[in-house]
Amino acid sequence: QLQLQESGPGLVKPSETLSLTCTVSGGSISSSSYYWGWIRQPPGKGLEWIGSIYYSGSTYYNPSLKSRVTISVDTSKNQFSLKLSSVTAADTAVYYCARWTPVTAILPWGQGTLVTVSS
Amino acid sequence: EIVMTQSPATLSVSPGERATLSCRASQSVSSNLAWYQQKPGQAPRLLIYGASTRATGIPDRFSGSGSGTDFTLTISSLQSEDFAVYYCQQYNNWPPLTFGGGTKVEIK
């Protein structure tokens, strides 16, 4: 059964770079036809898609965050990562990693990790 | 960007009753529409994809319908574990993937 697990610092200072890693178990991140990506949810608010990386390495970002986001993959570790630069308090959120396809939507999701931006 | 609008924001329903949740897209998304359930402190769980196909393990009291711009999630007989927030999401025109603002189903 495919499982995803986020990891990274829970506290980031304003203007710094948020870095998270998602470790995939129970399947290969190199499997064809899958997108791997990040979604976030500010406390008490709705869901926002950040971006995705295709198994081939192509990346797709939310235009609202594009200038600050980088998603990359490390196939040797079966991991993919998120970097979000120049963070502010507005970037405080639970960050989820997930796999999705244009057929079956977003499944599965990681459990999520809370990242707080504060000095 | 396709804007997804869910209504109502909050739905008060008694256990055993039927719940009907709506989702509207700002332009056609064909049948590329998914529904998710989220309980407090948990990640969203996929219920429906392709507008009407239940994900593996989802009870048949959950059903989805619609195409184009108007979609409905129906819970035929609400169980205690169904009280949660429900989100719709389109994956037809992207980036970006976009979500609705959510409907909270609460106990009446």
Side-chain angles (χ1 to χ4, degrees), chain A residues 35 41 45-47 49 60-63 96 100 102-107 109-110, chain B residues 1 32 34 36 38 42-44 46 49-50 87 89 91 94-97 99 101:
Chain A
Y35 296 82
Q41 185 172 37
K45 296 188 178 180
L47 299 162
W49 177 76
Y60 307 84
Y61 300 132
N62 192 321
Y96 297 100
W100 81 277
V103 175
T104 58
I106 304 174
L107 175 75
W109 298 61
Chain B
E1 172 176 330
N32 296 311
Y36 303 86
Q38 187 178 34
Q42 296 184 16
L46 176 67
Y49 63 90
Y87 293 96
Q89 177 241 331
Y91 49 99
W94 68 283
L97 300 175
F99 295 87

Side-chain angles (χ1 to χ4, degrees), chain A residues 6-28:
Chain A
E6 305 88 351
S7 59
L11 181 64
V12 181
K13 290 182 168 55
S15 79
E16 295 190 343
T17 296
L18 178 159
S19 296
L20 295 174
T21 296
C22 182
T23 300
V24 178
S25 59
S28 172

Side-chain angles (χ1 to χ4, degrees), chain A residues 28-103:
Chain A
S28 172
I29 202 168
S30 300
S31 298
S32 62
S33 303
Y34 292 122
Y35 296 82
W36 306 90
W38 295 91
I39 297 147
R40 70 180 183 178
Q41 185 172 37
K45 296 188 178 180
L47 299 162
E48 179 182 36
W49 177 76
I50 299 170
S52 295
I53 187 165
Y54 196 41
Y55 79 102
S56 63
S58 299
T59 52
Y60 307 84
Y61 300 132
N62 192 321
S64 68
L65 298 168
K66 188 174 184 177
S67 64
R68 300 195 290 131
V69 173
T70 302
I71 296 175
S72 59
V73 65
D74 185 339
T75 54
S76 68
K77 295 182 178 179
N78 225 33
Q79 295 176 334
F80 62 101
S81 299
L82 168 70
K83 292 189 185 300
L84 180 66
S85 64
S86 305
V87 297
T88 69
D91 295 309
T92 293
V94 175
Y95 286 75
Y96 297 100
C97 63
R99 185 187 75 175
W100 81 277
T101 83
V103 175

Side-chain angles (χ1 to χ4, degrees), chain B residues 21-85:
Chain B
L21 289 67
S22 295
C23 175
R24 174 166 289 178
S26 60
Q27 64 189 80
S28 176
V29 298
S30 187
S31 294
N32 296 311
L33 189 285
W35 290 93
Y36 303 86
Q37 176 194 67
Q38 187 178 34
K39 297 179 181 179
Q42 296 184 16
R45 176 175 72 144
L46 176 67
L47 298 175
I48 301 284
Y49 63 90
S52 61
T53 302
R54 276 188 300 276
T56 301
I58 301 303
D60 61 7
R61 63 179 181 273
F62 291 93
S63 63
S65 63
S67 66
T69 60
D70 291 299
F71 301 88
T72 300
L73 175 70
T74 302
I75 311 171
S76 59
S77 177
L78 271 160
Q79 306 298 302
S80 57
E81 61 266 30
D82 300 334
F83 292 96
V85 179

